[in-house]
Amino acid sequence: MLINSVLVFLKNALPAFFLISVSASIMEPYLISMRSKITAGIVGVSGSIMLSQSMSQLSSLVDGIGSELILASLHFSIFIILLLQLLLNLNSSGGTITKPYNLLFIIGVFLVITLDGASLLIYLNGFWSSQISLNSIIIGSILGLGISLSSALLLLYILRSKLLSNWFKLPYVVFVFTTARQLSEFSLKLIQADWLPASEPLWNSSNIIQDNSELGRFLNAIVGYQTSPTLPQIIFYFTGITIPLLIIFFTNRSKPQVRL
Amino acid sequence: MNKLLLMIILLIQSAPAVAKRPVFSLTIEKHLFYPSVLIIPARTKIKLIINNLDSTPEQFDSFDLNREKVIFPKTTATIFIGPLSKGEYNFFGEFHPNSALGKIIAVEDPDVN
């Protein structure tokens, strides 16, 4: 149960922490106030508690696909927030737009923690109420949380390093893929709910990198890697890549002085 | 490019057939799936209804199927799966991965319904 708790936390907490790190890597750190960070954390935890408590009822809505629709809408909302953040960041100059910057940060963190935190709370709550293997679950959860947090901090450090950010524009490259992941997850939930048509998987790369391997989990959390995606997922994923790239392209063209 | 367009058109055409999905059922009891092997038709999207009889939640999870869904205690959940090529697809309960194991076998024989 200990290892399973670590894995459950890695699966849910890692994408959330990575997303916050990638998002923070393109933002000017001094523009986000401590008050906004604390507010974002509090509203995020509150959101995940509320969602985990109501998910059982919500899940049975719309002929049993309520949870898919809620999760899909959360992924889509995060996608929109990331695009707005990108737009704001590309147009910012000298810290003149701190209010919208902080507001977007709070909304983004709220959505991310609500989405992934709710799954963790459902897991913890289930075992807490039944008092089964509590010690293993608590230790496993702390380990999983610690690994996720330290990995995300390491990622942020790497993305903010001068060499990678100045020469390869790595933060923006990763940001584009992370943004696309949200649209891919959005499509996956709608396929699972039968709101989008599905196809047979276009390929299967499990012989190269498996979904449940460490590298597979890492790549899924950061760029949305999946071994056997379907055509609708691929279409949504590439749409998710194209839109931020177009934003970057047109912002740079209209404002040549904008720093990338 | 033409092949891709054809696939997109076929996908869009397949969307309205929601009411005709074959329905299959699974039950979770004492952290085990019943039946542990489910045979379904290949190349057909199916509706899978999962009934959790336990007092703890379970998460139906499958890397092979690209599906995951929490099934709350004493409730029923719906997941749409496929269309799948002929073959075997493993699934498990993420909250009890050592006991809650099963597989879906997609076969060409249309009489599996």
Side-chain angles (χ1 to χ4, degrees):
Chain A
M1 205 42 93
L2 190 144
I3 291 174
N4 192 47
S5 298
V6 174
L7 291 176
V8 168
F9 263 78
L10 285 180
K11 184 179 167 188
N12 291 286
L14 203 59
F17 285 129
F18 273 6
L19 181 57
I20 294 169
S21 282
V22 172
S23 162
S25 72
I26 66 156
M27 297 173 97
E28 299 294 350
Y30 61 87
L31 288 180
I32 307 296
S33 67
M34 184 50 76
R35 193 177 161 190
S36 295
K37 289 173 188 167
I38 293 168
T39 308
I42 291 170
V43 294
V45 171
S46 309
S48 61
I49 291 170
M50 281 194 286
L51 185 60
S52 67
Q53 292 298 317
S54 54
M55 193 57 117
S56 178
Q57 288 79 37
L58 296 171
S59 189
S60 58
L61 299 176
V62 202
D63 202 19
I65 54 163
S67 60
E68 278 87 348
L69 300 184
I70 289 160
L71 297 177
S73 50
L74 281 170
H75 280 294
F76 190 75
S77 304
I78 294 169
F79 174 73
I80 297 295
I81 291 293
L82 288 171
L83 291 185
L84 290 174
Q85 194 189 49
L86 179 67
L87 259 173
L88 202 60
N89 197 63
L90 291 170
N91 287 298
S92 74
S93 52
T96 53
I97 45 168
T98 51
K99 259 192 178 175
Y101 227 87
N102 281 272
L103 187 64
L104 277 181
F105 177 79
I106 292 170
I107 297 171
V109 173
F110 162 70
L111 292 170
V112 171
I113 295 182
T114 299
L115 175 70
D116 291 307
S119 306
L120 294 174
L121 289 177
I122 289 166
Y123 173 73
L124 288 177
N125 194 37
F127 288 100
W128 195 268
S129 54
S130 63
Q131 299 285 309
I132 303 167
S133 314
L134 264 186
N135 282 343
S136 303
I137 287 163
I138 291 169
I139 295 167
S141 305
I142 293 167
L143 283 174
L145 206 59
I147 295 168
S148 303
L149 189 60
S150 48
S151 305
L153 287 173
L154 182 65
L155 179 70
L156 181 60
Y157 178 78
I158 292 169
L159 291 177
R160 280 213 176 132
S161 70
K162 285 261 184 273
L163 178 73
L164 293 171
S165 61
N166 289 345
W167 285 17
F168 305 111
K169 310 295 180 200
L170 190 68
Y172 280 91
V173 174
V174 177
F175 184 90
V176 167
F177 284 109
T178 305
T179 305
R181 178 187 186 272
Q182 298 305 317
L183 216 49
S184 172
E185 290 293 323
F186 165 74
S187 71
L188 189 59
K189 295 298 172 203
L190 292 187
I191 291 168
Q192 184 168 304
D194 206 19
W195 275 36
L196 268 182
S199 71
E200 290 177 36
L202 292 187
W203 65 78
N204 190 334
S205 56
S206 58
N207 54 344
I208 305 168
I209 302 170
Q210 290 191 336
D211 277 320
N212 57 348
S213 65
E214 287 80 4
L215 184 59
R217 285 175 197 272
F218 172 81
L219 289 174
N220 174 269
I222 199 162
V223 296
Y225 169 79
Q226 282 182 354
T227 53
S228 49
T230 59
L231 181 61
Q233 277 178 270
I234 296 293
I235 292 171
F236 274 84
Y237 190 76
F238 279 99
T239 306
I241 288 175
T242 308
I243 295 172
L245 283 179
L246 286 175
I247 289 174
I248 292 170
F249 175 75
F250 283 111
T251 308
N252 278 336
R253 208 173 67 156
S254 60
K255 291 190 171 186
Q257 77 278 13
V258 168
R259 168 189 47 80
L260 219 183
Chain B
M1 189 63 186
N2 286 342
K3 196 180 170 186
L4 185 70
L5 278 174
L6 183 67
M7 285 179 80
I8 293 170
I9 291 165
L10 284 173
L11 276 175
I12 293 165
Q13 280 185 334
S14 70
V18 176
K20 295 173 187 169
R21 307 283 185 223
V23 179
F24 292 84
S25 297
L26 278 178
T27 300
I28 302 168
E29 191 172 12
K30 293 178 182 170
H31 314 308
L32 295 167
F33 282 110
Y34 296 102
S36 58
V37 178
L38 196 62
I39 298 172
I40 67 165
R43 303 179 208 296
T44 307
K45 196 169 194 176
I46 66 140
K47 182 179 183 178
L48 180 61
I49 295 172
I50 308 171
N51 187 13
N52 184 3
L53 300 178
D54 287 337
S55 55
T56 54
E58 186 55 271
Q59 179 158 302
F60 176 90
D61 205 326
S62 173
F63 293 109
D64 296 345
L65 298 163
N66 259 347
R67 293 289 182 270
E68 60 174 22
K69 179 160 184 164
V70 174
I71 302 116
F72 289 90
K74 316 286 182 196
T75 63
T76 299
T78 303
I79 304 178
F80 289 88
I81 289 173
L84 300 172
S85 306
K86 196 177 143 187
E88 293 188 6
Y89 302 84
N90 293 314
F91 62 84
F92 60 97
E94 191 178 41
F95 298 168
H96 302 89
N98 296 327
S99 58
L101 296 163
K103 72 169 107 168
I104 284 176
I105 302 177
V107 296
E108 296 287 0
D109 182 359
D111 293 332
V112 291
N113 289 326

